[in-house]
């Protein structure tokens, strides 16, 4: 059984990052980049206790998150957990019956550490940041 998974960040899809930040209480930007793999602008915002928020602005209609923005007008998109080994991710995938649909792939926002995306039975998107 897997326990004590640490949440790294919550991901939010937004129509316009600058407009979102203008209206937000959150201001401490850790990193801001364009990710060609996701075809999206990404911002990582640091909160307290090493907790982050990721803002995702799709830049084309074939971006991974474009349909989410189009259908939901943005908002909460995913939760990202830190994992420390392949064994840990495999146990969690099996224990929680997650279906991996993307990755592992390098994430430019996280210094090319690998990330994997899964979906659970609640239709929630779970991202795993491979920290090993």
């Amino acid at each position: 059984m897997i326990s004590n998974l640490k949440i790294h960040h919550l991901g939010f899809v937004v129509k316009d990052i600058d407009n979102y930040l203008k209206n937000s209480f959150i201001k401490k930007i850790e990193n801001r980049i364009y990710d060609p793999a996701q075809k999206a602008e990404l911002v990582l915002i640091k909160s307290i206790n090493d907790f982050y928020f990721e803002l995702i602005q799709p830049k084309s209609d074939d971006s991974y998150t474009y349909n989410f923005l189009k259908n939901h007008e943005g908002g909460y998109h995913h939760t990202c957990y830190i994992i420390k080994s392949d064994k840990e991710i495999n146990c969690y995938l099996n224990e929680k019956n997650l279906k991996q649909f993307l990755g592992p792939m390098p994430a430019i926002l996280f210094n090319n550490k690998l990330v994997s995306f899964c979906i659970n039975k609640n239709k929630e998107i779970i991202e795993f940041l491979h920290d090993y």
Side-chain angles (χ1 to χ4, degrees), residues 31-42:
N31 197 2
R32 183 174 186 154
I33 55 106
Y34 174 77
D35 184 343
Q38 293 190 50
K39 298 180 183 163
E41 186 170 349
L42 307 175

Side-chain angles (χ1 to χ4, degrees), residues 13 15 17 37-38 44 52 76 80-81 84-85 101 108 117:
V13 175
K15 184 176 182 179
I17 286 174
Q38 293 190 50
L44 191 64
Y52 297 88
Y76 166 76
C80 178
Y81 296 93
K84 298 288 186 185
S85 69
F101 64 88
I108 191 170
F117 289 88

Side-chain angles (χ1 to χ4, degrees), residues 48-59:
I48 58 172
N49 298 326
D50 291 325
F51 184 81
Y52 297 88
F53 295 94
E54 178 185 19
L55 302 180
I56 308 155
Q57 180 183 336
K59 290 296 199 175

Side-chain angles (χ1 to χ4, degrees), residues 4 9 18 26 28 30-31 35 47 50 52 60 68 71 73 75 80 84 93 111 116:
N4 299 325
H9 70 266
D18 291 320
I26 304 167
K28 186 166 175 24
E30 285 284 307
N31 197 2
D35 184 343
S47 183
D50 291 325
Y52 297 88
S60 71
F68 183 87
N71 295 332
E73 298 182 5
C80 178
K84 298 288 186 185
L93 290 171
N111 298 317
S116 299

Side-chain angles (χ1 to χ4, degrees), residues 69-91:
L69 179 63
K70 185 175 135 187
N71 295 332
H72 303 283
E73 298 182 5
Y76 166 76
H77 182 259
H78 68 272
T79 303
C80 178
Y81 296 93
I82 297 172
I83 55 166
K84 298 288 186 185
S85 69
D86 285 336
K87 180 180 177 185
E88 185 177 13
I89 191 171
N90 290 332
C91 287

Side-chain angles (χ1 to χ4, degrees), residues 1-20:
M1 182 166 123
I2 300 294
S3 61
N4 299 325
L5 279 178
K6 181 180 176 187
I7 295 177
H8 182 266
H9 70 266
L10 298 179
F12 293 86
V13 175
V14 298
K15 184 176 182 179
D16 182 288
I17 286 174
D18 291 320
N19 194 46
Y20 183 91

